[in-house]
Amino acid sequence: MTDDNTDEMIHLLVTGGAGFIGTNFIRHALSLRPDWFITNLDALTYAGNSANFNDLPQALASRHKFIHGDIRDASLLDQLFSEHEISAVVHFAAESHVDRSILGPEAFVETNITGTFRLLEASLKAWRVRGKPEGFRFLHVSTDEVYGSLGPQGYFTEQTPYEPSSPYSASKAASDHFVKAYFRTYGLPGIVTNSSNNFGPYQFPEKLIPLMILNIVEQKPLPVYGDGKNVRDWLYVLDHCSALIKVLEEGRPGETYNIGGGAERQNIDIVHLLCDLLDSRLGRSGEQSSQRLVTFVPDRPGHDRRYAIDCTKIKRELGWEPEHRFDQALEATVEWYLDHMQWVESIRSGEYRKWIERQYGIKEEVGN
Ligand code: NAD
Ligand code: DAU
């Protein structure tokens, strides 16, 4: 990455920075890198919350600028690139929930494919105008879901062929291909990362772990898809963020890096673990035990059976390792949600309630 000549700062354009991973990334990066200035471009869909930065200390807040806007807006992108000497784009903005992509795939095509294309076009234009600085990076944050589904054995490597199952993963696969094509065709220094399932603070409670935490707290049914034996490879979000910083600073343009937590668990085991953690925290036992809330529901269509990441490459080339142990990080995540019920309430808009009703047939009561 190159320095911003005007103020000696390294200027990052982060997209989707008001969502789950983007928020964690910005908070983490601002505190670790005092010479980074971050412009955070986010459309504030149901999944984005600009209030996630309200409690930033002044020393960090002064290096963060929030812009409410859409990555599909080409003229806004051109304006941002002309106003600032952007050293790197870190691209999180996406529609990210598989179940939503099944019920309404078009938004995924719009943001994940068209949006990524517009961002690449604007980046390419600015990179050329500035004389193609070598240090420029376009870091595309993608998912292991592009590789499809594993059987009981084996791991996804960077060589695994793409075989996406859902409209979400198909749209992410398309966006990955665009980033690689812009490197091969135009030389734009793009890098793609494919990570496994993240968990941690600020995750929207439509995803497995926060949904289960909140349903346990509120003693609502815990909807487990199919037989509950699908496996995910869990990665604590701060470990993902430190991997992204490594890739940004030391990764090679044109390359792909897989990022995984090495913590494979069946969904049903995660749900049982959360029941136990919360029961001991909330003093529930016997007939009150939360295990009674576990409810098997019809499977997600096209549900991938197992994800597991081989992250030898990022470990060997960049020296990255996940630092957090799964069980401790899960406990910390539970604590974070219990301590941030106000945050949960603030993001449970009318739209959220309609979604829960449509997906699970559970009527959410206002003020619950
Ligand atoms: P998220 O849904 O929590 O956040 C997405 C953010 O993007 C939101 O703030 C939203 O407002 C914003 N956004 C959506 N459409 C936009 C648009 N058109 N213009 C500007 N902003 C827009 O998602 P997340 O879980 O933080 O995931 C971030 C990225 O990481 C995504 O690209 C996702 O595919 C990828 N990823 C996520 C995981 C995971 O486990 N959550 C794992 C691997 C990869
Ligand atoms: O692997 C990375 C991907 O992980 C990211 O690219 C996605 O953005 C992110 O949403 C996540 O996708 P999953 O579909 O794996 O995550 P989700 O939390 O939706 O589901 C995790 C597992 O739990 C999956 O096997 C489906 C199951 N599940 C999920 C929900 C919401 C249930 O059994 N019940 C539920 O209510």
Side-chain angles (χ1 to χ4, degrees), residues 116-176:
T116 301
F117 161 71
R118 297 257 159 80
L119 193 60
L120 282 165
E121 279 288 285
S123 303
L124 180 62
K125 205 191 290 181
W127 181 67
R128 282 173 166 166
V129 165
R130 283 176 46 207
K132 302 186 176 178
E134 249 181 55
F136 181 84
R137 292 290 178 270
F138 186 105
L139 174 53
H140 179 58
V141 181
S142 193
T143 170
D144 60 357
E145 299 204 11
V146 296
Y147 298 126
S149 185
L150 288 167
Q153 309 294 326
Y155 297 90
F156 296 135
T157 72
E158 287 80 0
Q159 277 72 48
T160 302
Y162 276 29
E163 204 177 350
S165 304
S166 70
Y168 162 68
S169 50
S171 67
K172 291 297 289 188
S175 64
D176 292 10

Side-chain angles (χ1 to χ4, degrees), residues 10-257:
I10 291 176
H11 198 135
L12 269 61
L13 173 62
V14 171
T15 70
F20 162 48
I21 307 176
T23 292
N24 281 284
F25 176 82
I26 290 174
R27 296 178 69 99
H28 193 60
L30 287 172
S31 66
L32 284 185
R33 294 287 181 272
D35 58 343
W36 284 11
F37 186 99
I38 295 178
T39 292
N40 174 3
L41 172 65
D42 197 299
L44 298 182
T45 67
Y46 76 95
N49 184 4
S50 57
N52 290 351
F53 304 97
N54 286 352
D55 64 341
L56 275 185
Q58 182 52 25
L60 306 193
S62 62
R63 291 183 286 112
H64 173 240
K65 180 173 168 192
F66 181 76
I67 307 278
H68 184 196
D70 196 308
I71 55 165
R72 292 170 301 168
D73 183 345
S75 52
L76 171 63
L77 294 176
D78 287 345
Q79 186 193 328
L80 290 176
F81 276 105
S82 66
E83 280 172 0
H84 308 286
E85 198 160 319
I86 305 289
S87 304
V89 174
V90 187
H91 179 31
F92 294 100
E95 288 292 336
S96 70
H97 191 36
V98 173
D99 293 323
R100 285 183 190 257
S101 82
I102 295 167
L103 289 177
E106 193 163 351
F108 291 71
V109 174
E110 279 295 314
T111 284
N112 300 2
I113 306 177
T114 305
T116 301
F117 161 71
R118 297 257 159 80
L119 193 60
L120 282 165
E121 279 288 285
S123 303
L124 180 62
K125 205 191 290 181
W127 181 67
R128 282 173 166 166
V129 165
R130 283 176 46 207
K132 302 186 176 178
E134 249 181 55
F136 181 84
R137 292 290 178 270
F138 186 105
L139 174 53
H140 179 58
V141 181
S142 193
T143 170
D144 60 357
E145 299 204 11
V146 296
Y147 298 126
S149 185
L150 288 167
Q153 309 294 326
Y155 297 90
F156 296 135
T157 72
E158 287 80 0
Q159 277 72 48
T160 302
Y162 276 29
E163 204 177 350
S165 304
S166 70
Y168 162 68
S169 50
S171 67
K172 291 297 289 188
S175 64
D176 292 10
H177 290 316
F178 267 97
V179 175
K180 289 174 196 181
Y182 270 60
F183 173 73
R184 290 187 198 140
T185 307
Y186 309 114
L188 184 75
I191 305 181
V192 176
T193 56
N194 297 93
S195 105
S196 59
N197 286 62
N198 285 220
F199 69 103
Y202 300 102
Q203 188 167 30
F204 195 80
E206 63 189 350
K207 307 281 165 67
L208 181 76
I209 289 180
L211 180 88
M212 294 297 164
I213 293 174
L214 297 180
N215 283 14
I216 293 169
V217 169
E218 292 163 358
Q219 307 207 46
K220 290 179 179 159
L222 309 177
V224 177
Y225 298 163
D227 64 3
K229 292 187 177 161
N230 299 64
V231 171
R232 297 293 181 263
D233 172 354
W234 293 97
L235 172 67
Y236 190 54
V237 65
L238 290 182
D239 283 329
H240 187 191
C241 294
S242 63
L244 294 175
I245 292 176
K246 274 267 182 205
V247 171
L248 207 45
E249 294 181 329
E250 298 171 42
R252 287 180 291 137
E255 293 292 317
T256 292
Y257 296 91

Side-chain angles (χ1 to χ4, degrees), residues 347-364:
I347 54 155
R348 282 170 150 179
S349 61
E351 199 281 341
Y352 172 83
R353 291 172 209 284
K354 271 188 253 156
W355 159 253
I356 291 286
E357 202 179 321
R358 192 169 171 207
Q359 175 68 9
Y360 301 104
I362 299 170
K363 193 117 183 116
E364 289 272 316

Side-chain angles (χ1 to χ4, degrees), residues 328-344:
Q328 287 171 355
L330 190 69
E331 236 179 293
T333 302
V334 166
E335 284 302 323
W336 188 89
Y337 279 91
L338 291 175
D339 290 347
H340 290 79
M341 291 308 281
Q342 200 63 41
W343 177 87
V344 170

